[in-house]
Amino acid sequence: MTFEIVFVLLSLLGMVAALIADKMRPGMILFSVVVLFLCAGILTPKEMLEGFSNKGMITVALLFLVSEGIRQSGTLGQVIKKLLPQGKTTVFKAQLRILPSVAFISAFLNNTPVVVIFAPIIKHWAKSVNLPATKFLIPLSYVTILGGICTLIGTSTNLVVHGMILEAGFEGFSMFELGKVGIFIAIAGIIYIFLFSKRLLPDARPDTAVPDEEVEEGEKLHRVEAVLGARFPGINKKLKDFNFQRHFQERHYGAEVKEIKTRNGQRFVSNLEEVVLHEGDTLVVMADDTFIPTWGESSVFVLLTNGNEPDTTGKKKRWFALLLLVLMIVGATVGELPVTKEMFPDIKLDMFFFVSITTIIMAWTNLFPARKYTKYISWDILITIACAFAISKAMVNSGVADSVAKFIIGLSDDYGPHVLLAMVFIITNLFTELITNNAAAALAFPLALSISAQLGVSPTPFFVVICMAASASFSTPIGYQTNLIVQGIGNYKFTDFVRIGLPLNIITFLISIILIPLIWNF
């Protein structure tokens, strides 16, 4: 083995270990590795920076703003309220009304705002109709993932892989191409949830610390659930070291922590001062009426809810936002047709083109506050994506991709590309459950490219399987942000995700390795 191969392999192992340990944000971990490759001469400055100007990465950034415009228009809140059955109903009937529609919505919008808006409304509704919210919140997260795999813009992972495909000199995915297999996975997944979620998901686990109706005497303090975001200043600190109550009282937003639900499924109602806070933990706090309005648009918290979701937007604003979204999707789809390309040979009417126009219109019509636009972009995800391109390039430059591909092919010499396709799925899916979906795609893509080249087959089936595997994060709450969000407010344990999620991983695996070679020939 050459120095470059050993250096890259050790760096990647360190990267995976650091991502699992979660001592630093994924973007900074990946950026640190990229800088190491730059110092070792494995990457040139140009190669290191190429990901930051990649069209796929910029498209993801703009889609954050489009999703925010839809969120602030109030459209999603109205949609879920109309979907929720009023009066006496059953878990199955309610899921039948909610889940397919949510999957459809998440095919065109970022998953996180969909779950952030829908989860507290569904929890409050479930209580009002005497149904356990635990039967709806994990399914909510799962169907947003299942819907996201059906389109190019449904998840950032699809756009990342699409960008890597273009950089490698191949033709990328069209708007609905991934839906050829994604729709079957989504349908099978939703049917599985219909049939087994009632049995596999726990019954209601009421909050032990503070009931929803409790108001402290002498003060107008109400129960609020707050999911900690990446920019919460007390991350990786004990509650006593951060002093949550004093921190906010200094700003006249006094809030007292009553309960902590960790992202590992543990719940603490005593000795709270000794609990170390992590991103994705849920705090149950007593706060006054100014707490949610003050911190609602801050990235300090991913979600804030007190069960009361007032509608403050007008119908015109909601319809206008919906119209823009539809025009963006239709425009990008029609722009990919051969006849459109012939009519406009000098303009590439792709998703990037239409999402750019939609973002500018939303900003100038104040669908989201243009002065605060940087707040609505998840910069860590963008840095992770940009560095993913560089890491993928380093694996190719150093020879790691070819060496690992030869090793994998050697393990399955007599089985052909179908078994290798299954191995790529398993490797990618394990990485996405342990680290992040975009980092998983970055590690898997050069391997897939090398495997297909050495076998002399088309790489497209491998590219598609990476998209499916990198998004199929069902078995752990830490693999996908929407899982973390619902874990806290649904009082789920880590094992709840394993119990219902692992079969869904297997379903996704089986459908992928059976259908993908039939649709995209080797």
Side-chain angles (χ1 to χ4, degrees):
M1 270 198 242
T2 63
F3 164 77
E4 288 83 1
I5 291 176
V6 173
F7 185 83
V8 169
L9 283 174
L10 289 175
S11 299
L12 293 179
L13 285 172
M15 181 189 81
V16 172
L19 287 167
I20 293 171
D22 194 30
K23 295 296 183 183
M24 199 179 285
R25 296 292 298 146
M28 184 52 69
I29 292 172
L30 266 70
F31 186 66
S32 301
V33 174
V34 169
V35 171
L36 279 177
F37 294 156
L38 178 71
C39 294
I42 295 166
L43 287 175
T44 65
K46 183 176 182 292
E47 289 171 333
M48 175 183 170
L49 296 172
E50 277 174 352
F52 289 91
S53 61
N54 183 271
K55 188 188 286 188
M57 193 273 283
I58 304 298
T59 303
V60 171
L62 296 175
L63 284 170
F64 279 124
L65 297 177
V66 171
S67 294
E68 183 62 24
I70 298 294
R71 186 190 75 81
Q72 293 204 21
S73 73
T75 305
L76 293 178
Q78 289 302 305
V79 167
I80 192 61
K81 286 173 183 176
K82 291 186 185 300
L83 289 174
L84 294 172
Q86 302 305 315
K88 193 174 181 181
T89 187
T90 65
V91 170
F92 179 79
K93 287 180 181 177
Q95 285 184 346
L96 198 60
R97 285 191 60 166
I98 300 167
L99 301 187
S101 300
V102 173
F104 178 80
I105 292 167
S106 67
F108 305 104
L109 288 175
N110 186 283
N111 304 23
T112 302
V114 173
V115 172
V116 165
I117 292 169
F118 287 5
I121 296 174
I122 288 175
K123 182 178 179 179
H124 188 64
W125 162 83
K127 184 180 178 183
S128 70
V129 295
N130 254 348
L131 290 175
T134 47
K135 305 295 186 184
F136 297 96
L137 295 176
I138 279 182
L140 169 67
S141 178
Y142 284 178
V143 296
T144 62
I145 296 171
L146 291 168
I149 64 177
C150 294
T151 67
L152 179 62
I153 63 170
T155 172
S156 62
T157 311
N158 291 352
L159 284 164
V160 168
V161 176
H162 173 72
M164 289 180 175
I165 293 170
L166 294 176
E167 282 207 347
F170 296 92
E171 188 175 345
F173 298 124
S174 60
M175 180 67 171
F176 295 103
E177 187 174 0
L178 291 169
K180 293 175 183 177
V181 65
I183 191 71
F184 291 103
I185 294 172
I187 290 170
I190 292 171
I191 291 172
Y192 162 76
I193 292 169
F194 285 156
L195 295 177
F196 296 101
S197 62
K198 189 174 180 182
R199 189 181 312 162
L200 294 176
L201 287 171
D203 292 323
R205 293 191 180 118
D207 296 295
T208 57
V210 190
D212 287 339
E213 296 82 5
E214 181 175 331
V215 178
E216 293 197 352
E217 292 182 15
E219 297 181 77
K220 292 183 178 178
L221 298 182
H222 309 279
R223 180 182 183 278
V224 176
E225 288 184 274
V227 180
L228 303 184
R231 296 186 186 179
F232 180 71
I235 293 294
N236 295 327
K237 295 180 181 177
K238 289 184 178 180
L239 186 63
K240 70 177 181 182
D241 296 331
F242 174 65
N243 201 331
F244 187 96
Q245 185 176 14
R246 188 185 68 193
H247 180 80
F248 287 106
Q249 281 180 339
E250 287 173 356
R251 293 160 175 76
H252 310 292
Y253 311 132
E256 181 182 357
V257 180
K258 293 287 189 178
E259 180 179 357
I260 300 174
K261 310 171 196 174
T262 73
R263 63 186 192 178
N264 293 322
Q266 295 177 291
R267 301 172 67 194
F268 297 92
V269 293
S270 59
N271 295 322
L272 297 180
E273 299 295 313
E274 297 300 320
V275 178
V276 178
L277 303 174
H278 297 97
E279 180 188 356
D281 289 351
T282 300
L283 308 186
V284 178
V285 303
M286 296 301 292
D288 61 24
D289 292 333
T290 64
F291 187 82
I292 288 182
T294 301
W295 295 95
E297 291 187 8
S298 168
S299 56
V300 168
F301 301 106
V302 178
L303 179 147
L304 289 173
T305 177
N306 58 4
N308 181 27
E309 308 295 330
D311 178 29
T312 57
T313 56
K315 278 188 178 179
K316 288 183 179 178
K317 191 174 184 180
R318 291 198 295 268
W319 281 109
F320 181 62
L322 191 60
L323 177 65
L324 287 177
L325 180 65
V326 171
L327 289 176
M328 181 187 82
I329 295 163
V330 171
T333 306
V334 173
E336 291 165 350
L337 298 175
V339 64
T340 309
K341 291 178 180 178
E342 288 178 14
M343 289 174 64
F344 303 96
D346 298 326
I347 305 175
K348 190 165 178 60
L349 300 175
D350 57 2
M351 175 50 64
F352 176 76
F353 179 87
F354 285 99
V355 76
S356 299
I357 294 172
T358 304
T359 303
I360 294 303
I361 294 173
M362 283 186 165
W364 282 92
T365 55
N366 207 33
L367 281 176
F368 62 82
R371 287 182 176 272
K372 300 179 181 179
Y373 78 98
T374 55
K375 291 175 62 176
Y376 309 124
I377 297 173
S378 180
W379 295 103
D380 186 73
I381 289 178
L382 295 187
I383 292 170
T384 301
I385 291 170
C387 292
F389 285 95
I391 288 171
S392 181
K393 187 70 174 175
M395 290 176 69
V396 174
N397 290 355
S398 63
V400 164
D402 286 338
S403 297
V404 176
K406 283 178 185 173
F407 176 73
I408 293 172
I409 291 170
L411 291 176
S412 52
D413 259 337
D414 302 324
Y415 298 102
H418 290 80
V419 170
L420 292 169
L421 192 73
M423 291 180 70
V424 169
F425 184 103
I426 292 168
I427 291 167
T428 308
N429 198 231
L430 283 173
F431 276 133
T432 204
E433 294 286 13
L434 294 172
I435 48 177
T436 70
N437 50 353
N438 292 317
L443 293 173
F445 184 85
L447 295 181
L449 200 59
S450 291
I451 288 171
S452 61
Q454 291 179 38
L455 289 176
V457 298
S458 169
T460 305
F462 292 95
F463 298 156
V464 177
V465 91
I466 290 172
C467 291
M468 299 302 119
S471 293
S473 181
F474 303 114
S475 299
T476 69
I478 59 175
Y480 222 85
Q481 189 176 43
T482 56
N483 289 347
L484 278 176
I485 292 169
V486 299
Q487 183 192 29
I489 67 170
N491 293 326
Y492 293 111
K493 296 178 181 177
F494 192 98
T495 51
D496 294 329
F497 286 88
V498 178
R499 189 184 304 113
I500 190 171
L502 188 57
L504 196 49
N505 279 80
I506 295 169
I507 289 169
T508 306
F509 169 73
L510 292 173
I511 293 175
S512 295
I513 62 170
I514 291 169
L515 288 186
I516 288 173
L518 297 177
I519 299 168
W520 295 273
N521 295 324
F522 283 113

